[in-house]
Coordinates of all heavy atoms in Angstrom, one line a residue:
M14 N 0.1 -7.6 17.2 CA -1.0 -7.6 16.3 C -1.4 -6.2 15.8 O -1.1 -5.3 16.5 CB -2.3 -8.3 16.9 CG -2.2 -9.8 17.0 SD -1.9 -10.6 15.4 CE -3.5 -10.3 14.6
I15 N -2.0 -6.1 14.7 CA -2.4 -4.8 14.1 C -3.9 -4.7 14.3 O -4.7 -5.5 13.8 CB -2.0 -4.7 12.7 CG1 -0.4 -4.7 12.6 CG2 -2.6 -3.4 12.1 CD1 0.0 -4.7 11.2
S16 N -4.3 -3.6 15.1 CA -5.7 -3.4 15.3 C -6.4 -2.9 14.2 O -5.8 -2.2 13.3 CB -5.9 -2.6 16.6 OG -5.5 -1.2 16.3
Q17 N -7.7 -3.0 14.1 CA -8.5 -2.4 13.1 C -8.4 -0.9 13.0 O -8.3 -0.3 12.0 CB -10.0 -2.8 13.2 CG -10.8 -2.4 12.0 CD -10.4 -2.9 10.6 OE1 -10.1 -4.1 10.6 NE2 -10.2 -2.1 9.6
D18 N -8.4 -0.3 14.2 CA -8.2 1.2 14.3 C -6.9 1.7 13.7 O -6.9 2.7 13.0 CB -8.3 1.6 15.8 CG -9.7 1.6 16.3 OD1 -10.6 1.4 15.5 OD2 -9.9 1.7 17.6
F19 N -5.9 0.9 14.0 CA -4.6 1.3 13.5 C -4.6 1.0 11.9 O -4.1 1.9 11.2 CB -3.5 0.3 14.1 CG -2.1 0.7 13.7 CD1 -1.6 2.0 13.5 CD2 -1.2 -0.3 13.5 CE1 -0.4 2.3 13.1 CE2 0.1 0.0 13.0 CZ 0.5 1.3 12.9
L20 N -5.2 0.0 11.5 CA -5.2 -0.3 10.1 C -6.0 0.7 9.4 O -5.6 1.1 8.2 CB -6.0 -1.7 9.9 CG -5.9 -2.4 8.6 CD1 -4.4 -2.7 8.2 CD2 -6.7 -3.6 8.5
D21 N -7.0 1.3 10.0 CA -7.8 2.4 9.3 C -7.1 3.6 9.0 O -7.5 4.3 8.1 CB -9.0 2.7 10.2 CG -10.1 1.7 10.2 OD1 -10.1 0.8 9.3 OD2 -11.0 1.7 11.1
I22 N -6.0 3.9 9.7 CA -5.2 5.1 9.4 C -4.1 4.9 8.5 O -3.4 5.8 8.1 CB -4.8 5.8 10.7 CG1 -3.8 4.9 11.5 CG2 -6.0 6.1 11.6 CD1 -3.1 5.6 12.6
L23 N -3.8 3.7 8.2 CA -2.7 3.4 7.3 C -3.0 3.6 5.8 O -4.1 3.4 5.4 CB -2.2 1.9 7.5 CG -1.7 1.6 8.9 CD1 -1.3 0.1 9.0 CD2 -0.6 2.5 9.3
R24 N -2.0 4.1 5.1 CA -2.3 4.4 3.7 C -1.1 3.9 2.9 O 0.0 3.8 3.4 CB -2.4 6.0 3.5 CG -3.5 6.6 4.2 CD -4.9 6.2 3.6 NE -5.9 6.9 4.2 CZ -6.7 6.4 5.2 NH1 -6.4 5.2 5.7 NH2 -7.7 7.1 5.7
C25 N -1.3 3.7 1.6 CA -0.2 3.4 0.7 C 0.7 4.6 0.5 O 0.2 5.7 0.3 CB -0.8 3.0 -0.7 SG 0.4 2.6 -1.9
P26 N 2.0 4.5 0.8 CA 2.9 5.7 0.7 C 2.9 6.2 -0.7 O 3.3 7.4 -0.9 CB 4.2 5.1 1.0 CG 4.1 3.6 0.9 CD 2.7 3.3 1.1
L27 N 2.5 5.5 -1.8 CA 2.5 6.0 -3.1 C 1.3 7.0 -3.3 O 1.3 7.8 -4.2 CB 2.4 4.9 -4.1 CG 3.7 4.0 -4.3 CD1 3.4 2.9 -5.4 CD2 4.9 4.8 -4.7
R28 N 0.3 6.8 -2.5 CA -0.9 7.6 -2.8 C -1.7 7.6 -1.4 O -2.7 7.0 -1.2 CB -1.8 6.9 -3.8 CG -3.0 7.7 -4.2 CD -3.7 7.0 -5.4 NE -5.0 7.6 -5.7 CZ -5.1 8.7 -6.5 NH1 -4.1 9.2 -7.1 NH2 -6.3 9.1 -6.8
P29 N -1.2 8.5 -0.5 CA -1.7 8.5 0.8 C -3.1 9.2 0.9 O -3.8 9.0 1.9 CB -0.7 9.4 1.6 CG 0.5 9.5 0.7 CD 0.0 9.3 -0.7
S30 N -3.5 9.9 -0.1 CA -4.7 10.7 0.0 C -6.0 9.7 0.1 O -6.9 10.1 0.8 CB -4.9 11.6 -1.2 OG -4.8 10.8 -2.4
D31 N -6.0 8.7 -0.7 CA -7.3 7.9 -0.7 C -7.1 6.4 -0.8 O -7.8 5.8 -1.6 CB -8.2 8.4 -1.7 CG -7.7 8.3 -3.1 OD1 -6.5 7.9 -3.2 OD2 -8.4 8.5 -4.1
T32 N -6.1 5.8 -0.2 CA -5.9 4.4 -0.3 C -6.2 3.8 1.1 O -6.2 4.4 2.1 CB -4.5 4.1 -0.7 OG1 -3.5 4.8 0.1 CG2 -4.3 4.3 -2.1
R33 N -6.5 2.5 1.0 CA -6.6 1.7 2.2 C -5.7 0.5 2.1 O -5.5 0.0 1.0 CB -8.1 1.2 2.4 CG -9.0 2.3 2.8 CD -8.7 2.8 4.2 NE -9.7 3.8 4.7 CZ -10.6 3.5 5.6 NH1 -10.7 2.3 6.1 NH2 -11.4 4.4 6.0
L34 N -5.2 0.0 3.2 CA -4.5 -1.2 3.2 C -5.3 -2.3 3.9 O -6.1 -2.0 4.8 CB -3.2 -1.0 4.0 CG -2.2 0.1 3.5 CD1 -1.0 0.2 4.4 CD2 -1.9 -0.1 2.0
R35 N -5.1 -3.5 3.4 CA -5.9 -4.6 4.0 C -4.9 -5.6 4.6 O -3.8 -5.8 4.0 CB -6.9 -5.2 3.0 CG -6.3 -6.2 2.1 CD -7.4 -6.9 1.3 NE -6.9 -7.0 -0.1 CZ -7.5 -6.5 -1.1 NH1 -8.5 -5.8 -1.0 NH2 -6.9 -6.6 -2.3
L36 N -5.3 -6.1 5.7 CA -4.4 -7.0 6.5 C -4.5 -8.4 6.0 O -5.6 -9.0 6.0 CB -4.7 -6.9 8.0 CG -3.9 -7.8 8.9 CD1 -2.4 -7.4 8.9 CD2 -4.4 -7.6 10.3
L37 N -3.4 -9.0 5.5 CA -3.4 -10.4 5.1 C -2.6 -11.2 6.1 O -2.2 -10.6 7.1 CB -2.9 -10.5 3.6 CG -3.8 -9.8 2.6 CD1 -3.2 -9.9 1.2 CD2 -5.2 -10.2 2.7
A38 N -2.3 -12.4 5.8 CA -1.7 -13.3 6.8 C -0.4 -12.7 7.4 O -0.4 -12.6 8.7 CB -1.3 -14.6 6.1
D39 N 0.5 -12.3 6.6 CA 1.8 -11.7 7.2 C 2.2 -10.5 6.6 O 3.4 -10.2 6.6 CB 2.8 -12.8 7.1 CG 3.1 -13.3 5.7 OD1 2.4 -12.8 4.8 OD2 4.1 -14.0 5.5
H40 N 1.3 -9.8 6.0 CA 1.7 -8.5 5.3 C 0.4 -7.7 5.1 O -0.7 -8.1 5.3 CB 2.4 -8.7 4.0 CG 1.6 -9.5 3.0 ND1 1.5 -10.9 2.9 CD2 0.7 -9.0 2.1 CE1 0.7 -11.2 1.9 NE2 0.2 -10.1 1.4
L41 N 0.7 -6.4 4.7 CA -0.4 -5.5 4.3 C -0.4 -5.3 2.8 O 0.6 -5.3 2.2 CB -0.3 -4.2 5.0 CG -0.4 -4.2 6.5 CD1 0.0 -2.8 7.1 CD2 -1.7 -4.6 7.0
E42 N -1.6 -5.2 2.3 CA -1.7 -5.1 0.8 C -2.5 -3.8 0.5 O -3.6 -3.6 1.0 CB -2.4 -6.3 0.2 CG -2.4 -6.2 -1.3 CD -3.0 -7.5 -1.9 OE1 -4.3 -7.5 -2.0 OE2 -2.3 -8.5 -2.1
C43 N -2.0 -3.0 -0.4 CA -2.7 -1.8 -0.8 C -3.9 -2.2 -1.7 O -3.8 -3.0 -2.6 CB -1.9 -0.9 -1.6 SG -2.7 0.5 -2.4
E44 N -5.1 -1.7 -1.3 CA -6.3 -2.1 -2.1 C -6.3 -1.6 -3.5 O -7.0 -2.1 -4.4 CB -7.5 -1.6 -1.3 CG -7.8 -2.3 0.0 CD -9.1 -2.0 0.6 OE1 -9.7 -0.9 0.1 OE2 -9.5 -2.7 1.5
R45 N -5.5 -0.5 -3.8 CA -5.5 0.0 -5.1 C -4.4 -0.6 -6.0 O -4.7 -1.0 -7.1 CB -5.3 1.5 -5.0 CG -5.3 2.3 -6.3 CD -5.1 3.7 -6.2 NE -6.3 4.4 -5.5 CZ -7.3 4.9 -6.2 NH1 -7.4 4.9 -7.5 NH2 -8.3 5.5 -5.5
C46 N -3.3 -0.7 -5.5 CA -2.1 -1.1 -6.4 C -1.6 -2.5 -6.1 O -0.7 -3.0 -6.8 CB -1.0 -0.1 -6.3 SG -0.1 0.0 -4.8
A47 N -2.0 -3.0 -4.9 CA -1.7 -4.4 -4.6 C -0.2 -4.5 -4.2 O 0.3 -5.7 -4.1 CB -2.0 -5.4 -5.6
L48 N 0.4 -3.4 -3.8 CA 1.8 -3.5 -3.3 C 1.6 -4.1 -1.9 O 0.7 -3.8 -1.2 CB 2.3 -2.1 -3.2 CG 3.8 -1.8 -3.2 CD1 4.5 -2.4 -4.4 CD2 4.0 -0.3 -3.1
R49 N 2.6 -5.0 -1.6 CA 2.6 -5.8 -0.4 C 3.7 -5.2 0.6 O 4.8 -5.3 0.2 CB 2.8 -7.2 -0.7 CG 1.7 -7.8 -1.4 CD 1.9 -9.3 -1.6 NE 0.7 -10.0 -2.0 CZ 0.5 -11.3 -1.9 NH1 1.5 -12.1 -1.4 NH2 -0.7 -11.9 -2.3
F50 N 3.2 -4.9 1.8 CA 4.2 -4.3 2.7 C 4.4 -5.4 3.8 O 3.4 -5.9 4.4 CB 3.6 -3.1 3.4 CG 3.4 -2.0 2.3 CD1 2.2 -1.8 1.8 CD2 4.4 -1.2 1.9 CE1 1.9 -0.8 0.8 CE2 4.2 -0.2 0.9 CZ 2.9 -0.1 0.4
P51 N 5.6 -5.6 4.2 CA 5.9 -6.6 5.2 C 5.6 -6.1 6.5 O 5.5 -4.9 6.8 CB 7.4 -6.8 5.1 CG 8.0 -5.6 4.5 CD 6.9 -5.1 3.6
I52 N 5.3 -7.0 7.5 CA 5.1 -6.7 8.8 C 6.3 -7.3 9.7 O 6.5 -8.5 9.6 CB 3.8 -7.3 9.4 CG1 2.7 -6.6 8.6 CG2 3.6 -7.0 10.9 CD1 1.3 -7.3 8.9
K53 N 7.0 -6.4 10.4 CA 8.2 -6.9 11.2 C 7.9 -6.6 12.6 O 7.7 -5.5 13.0 CB 9.4 -6.2 10.7 CG 9.8 -6.6 9.3 CD 11.2 -5.9 8.8 CE 11.5 -6.4 7.4 NZ 12.6 -5.7 6.8
D54 N 8.0 -7.6 13.5 CA 7.8 -7.4 14.9 C 6.5 -6.7 15.2 O 6.4 -6.0 16.1 CB 9.0 -6.7 15.5 CG 10.3 -7.3 15.3 OD1 10.3 -8.6 15.3 OD2 11.3 -6.7 15.2
G55 N 5.5 -7.0 14.4 CA 4.1 -6.5 14.7 C 3.9 -5.1 14.1 O 2.8 -4.5 14.2
F56 N 4.9 -4.5 13.4 CA 4.8 -3.2 12.8 C 4.9 -3.3 11.3 O 5.8 -3.8 10.8 CB 5.8 -2.2 13.4 CG 5.6 -1.8 14.8 CD1 6.2 -2.5 15.8 CD2 4.7 -0.7 15.1 CE1 6.0 -2.1 17.1 CE2 4.5 -0.4 16.4 CZ 5.1 -1.0 17.4
P57 N 3.9 -2.6 10.6 CA 4.0 -2.6 9.2 C 5.1 -1.8 8.7 O 5.3 -0.6 9.2 CB 2.6 -2.2 8.8 CG 2.1 -1.3 9.9 CD 2.7 -2.0 11.1
I58 N 5.9 -2.2 7.7 CA 6.9 -1.4 7.1 C 6.4 -0.8 5.8 O 6.4 -1.4 4.8 CB 8.1 -2.3 6.8 CG1 8.5 -3.2 7.9 CG2 9.3 -1.5 6.4 CD1 8.9 -2.5 9.2
L59 N 5.9 0.4 6.0 CA 5.3 1.1 4.9 C 6.3 2.0 4.1 O 6.2 3.1 3.9 CB 4.1 2.0 5.4 CG 3.0 1.3 6.1 CD1 1.9 2.2 6.4 CD2 2.4 0.2 5.2
V60 N 7.2 1.2 3.5 CA 8.3 1.8 2.7 C 8.3 1.1 1.4 O 8.3 -0.2 1.3 CB 9.7 1.5 3.4 CG1 10.8 2.1 2.6 CG2 9.7 2.2 4.8
V61 N 8.2 1.9 0.3 CA 8.1 1.3 -1.0 C 9.2 0.4 -1.3 O 9.1 -0.7 -2.0 CB 7.9 2.4 -2.0 CG1 8.0 1.9 -3.5 CG2 6.7 3.2 -1.8
E62 N 10.4 0.8 -0.9 CA 11.7 0.0 -1.2 C 11.6 -1.4 -0.5 O 12.2 -2.3 -1.0 CB 12.9 0.7 -0.8 CG 13.3 1.9 -1.6 CD 12.3 3.1 -1.4 OE1 11.7 3.2 -0.3 OE2 12.3 4.0 -2.2
E63 N 10.8 -1.5 0.6 CA 10.7 -2.8 1.3 C 9.5 -3.6 0.8 O 9.4 -4.7 1.1 CB 10.5 -2.5 2.8 CG 11.7 -1.8 3.4 CD 12.8 -2.7 3.9 OE1 12.4 -3.9 4.3 OE2 13.9 -2.4 3.9
A64 N 8.7 -3.0 0.0 CA 7.4 -3.7 -0.4 C 7.7 -4.6 -1.6 O 8.6 -4.5 -2.3 CB 6.4 -2.6 -0.8
Q65 N 6.8 -5.5 -1.7 CA 6.9 -6.5 -2.8 C 5.8 -6.1 -3.8 O 4.7 -5.9 -3.6 CB 6.5 -7.9 -2.2 CG 6.7 -9.1 -3.2 CD 6.4 -10.4 -2.5 OE1 5.4 -10.6 -1.9 NE2 7.5 -11.2 -2.5
L66 N 6.3 -6.1 -5.1 CA 5.4 -5.7 -6.2 C 4.5 -6.8 -6.5 O 4.9 -8.0 -6.3 CB 6.3 -5.4 -7.4 CG 7.2 -4.1 -7.3 CD1 8.3 -4.1 -8.5 CD2 6.3 -2.9 -7.5
P67 N 3.3 -6.5 -6.9 CA 2.4 -7.5 -7.4 C 2.9 -8.3 -8.6 O 3.8 -7.8 -9.3 CB 1.1 -6.8 -7.7 CG 1.5 -5.4 -8.0 CD 2.8 -5.1 -7.1
A68 N 2.4 -9.5 -8.8 CA 2.9 -10.3 -10.0 C 2.6 -9.6 -11.3 O 1.6 -9.0 -11.5 CB 2.1 -11.6 -10.0
G69 N 3.7 -9.7 -12.1 CA 3.6 -9.1 -13.4 C 4.0 -7.6 -13.4 O 4.0 -7.0 -14.5
C70 N 4.3 -7.0 -12.3 CA 4.7 -5.6 -12.2 C 6.2 -5.6 -11.9 O 6.7 -6.2 -11.0 CB 3.9 -4.9 -11.1 SG 4.2 -3.2 -11.1
E71 N 6.9 -4.8 -12.7 CA 8.3 -4.7 -12.6 C 8.9 -3.5 -11.9 O 10.0 -3.4 -11.5 CB 9.0 -4.9 -14.0 CG 8.7 -6.2 -14.6 CD 9.2 -6.2 -16.1 OE1 9.8 -5.2 -16.6 OE2 9.1 -7.2 -16.7
S72 N 8.0 -2.5 -11.9 CA 8.4 -1.2 -11.2 C 7.2 -0.5 -10.6 O 6.1 -0.7 -11.0 CB 9.0 -0.4 -12.4 OG 9.0 1.0 -11.9
T73 N 7.6 0.3 -9.6 CA 6.5 1.0 -8.9 C 5.9 2.0 -9.8 O 4.7 2.5 -9.6 CB 7.0 1.7 -7.6 OG1 8.1 2.6 -8.0 CG2 7.5 0.7 -6.6
S74 N 6.6 2.4 -10.9 CA 6.0 3.4 -11.8 C 4.8 2.8 -12.6 O 4.0 3.6 -13.2 CB 7.1 3.9 -12.8 OG 7.6 2.9 -13.5
Q75 N 4.7 1.5 -12.6 CA 3.6 0.9 -13.3 C 2.3 0.7 -12.4 O 1.3 0.4 -12.9 CB 4.0 -0.5 -13.8 CG 5.2 -0.5 -14.7 CD 5.6 -1.9 -15.1 OE1 5.4 -2.9 -14.3 NE2 6.2 -2.1 -16.3
L76 N 2.5 1.0 -11.1 CA 1.4 0.8 -10.2 C 0.3 1.9 -10.3 O 0.7 3.1 -10.6 CB 1.9 0.8 -8.8 CG 2.9 -0.4 -8.5 CD1 3.5 -0.2 -7.1 CD2 2.2 -1.7 -8.6
P77 N -0.9 1.6 -10.2 CA -2.0 2.6 -10.3 C -1.8 3.7 -9.3 O -2.2 4.8 -9.6 CB -3.3 1.7 -10.1 CG -2.9 0.4 -9.6 CD -1.5 0.2 -10.0
C78 N -1.4 3.4 -8.1 CA -1.2 4.5 -7.1 C -0.2 5.4 -7.6 O -0.4 6.7 -7.5 CB -0.7 3.9 -5.8 SG -2.0 3.1 -4.8
Q79 N 0.9 5.0 -8.1 CA 1.9 5.9 -8.6 C 1.5 6.6 -9.8 O 1.7 7.8 -9.9 CB 3.2 5.1 -8.9 CG 4.4 5.8 -9.4 CD 5.1 6.4 -8.2 OE1 4.6 7.1 -7.3 NE2 6.4 6.1 -8.2
K80 N 0.9 6.0 -10.8 CA 0.4 6.6 -12.0 C -0.5 7.8 -11.7 O -0.4 8.9 -12.2 CB -0.3 5.7 -12.9 CG 0.7 4.7 -13.7 CD -0.2 3.8 -14.5 CE 0.7 2.8 -15.3 NZ -0.1 1.7 -15.9
Q81 N -1.5 7.5 -10.8 CA -2.5 8.5 -10.6 C -2.0 9.7 -9.7 O -2.4 10.8 -9.8 CB -3.7 7.9 -10.0 CG -4.4 7.0 -10.9 CD -5.6 6.4 -10.4 OE1 -6.3 7.0 -9.5 NE2 -6.0 5.2 -10.8
A82 N -0.9 9.3 -8.9 CA -0.3 10.4 -8.1 C 0.5 11.3 -8.9 O 0.6 12.5 -8.6 CB 0.5 9.7 -7.0
T83 N 1.1 10.9 -10.0 CA 1.9 11.7 -10.8 C 1.2 12.3 -12.0 O 1.6 13.3 -12.6 CB 3.2 11.0 -11.3 OG1 2.7 9.8 -12.0 CG2 4.0 10.6 -10.1
A84 N 0.1 11.7 -12.4 CA -0.7 12.2 -13.5 C -1.7 13.3 -13.0 O -1.6 13.7 -11.9 CB -1.4 11.1 -14.2
T85 N -2.7 13.6 -13.7 CA -3.7 14.5 -13.3 C -4.5 13.9 -12.2 O -5.1 12.9 -12.3 CB -4.6 14.9 -14.5 OG1 -5.1 13.7 -15.1 CG2 -3.9 15.7 -15.5
P86 N -4.5 14.6 -11.0 CA -5.2 14.1 -9.9 C -6.7 14.3 -9.9 O -7.2 15.1 -10.7 CB -4.6 14.8 -8.7 CG -4.1 16.1 -9.3 CD -3.8 15.8 -10.8
A87 N -7.4 13.5 -9.1 CA -8.9 13.7 -8.9 C -9.7 13.7 -10.1 O -10.5 14.6 -10.4 CB -9.1 15.1 -8.1
Q88 N -9.5 12.7 -10.9 CA -10.4 12.5 -12.1 C -11.6 11.6 -11.8 O -12.5 11.4 -12.6 CB -9.6 11.9 -13.3 CG -8.8 13.0 -14.0 CD -8.3 12.6 -15.4 OE1 -8.3 11.4 -15.7 NE2 -7.9 13.5 -16.2
E89 N -11.5 10.9 -10.6 CA -12.5 10.0 -10.3 C -13.7 10.7 -9.6 O -13.5 11.5 -8.7 CB -12.0 8.8 -9.4 CG -11.0 8.0 -10.2 CD -10.3 7.0 -9.3 OE1 -11.0 6.3 -8.6 OE2 -9.1 7.0 -9.2
Ligands
LIG6 ZN1 -1.0 1.6 -3.5

């Protein structure tokens, strides 16, 4: 199982500075870009290539985490 303490330190690899992941039934989901990371043998696989894109998204370059990471940072 993934503890809350462990969950608190996990970040979306596309935008590690200020993202949080939330634990769903059998995967983790980025709160910002909704990228879904699988959990294998109790460990989250925080690898973009292994992650599942949200519905309607064809590329990680379309994700908000990726866009804001490569565009001008800290506008919020
Ligand atoms: Zn993200």
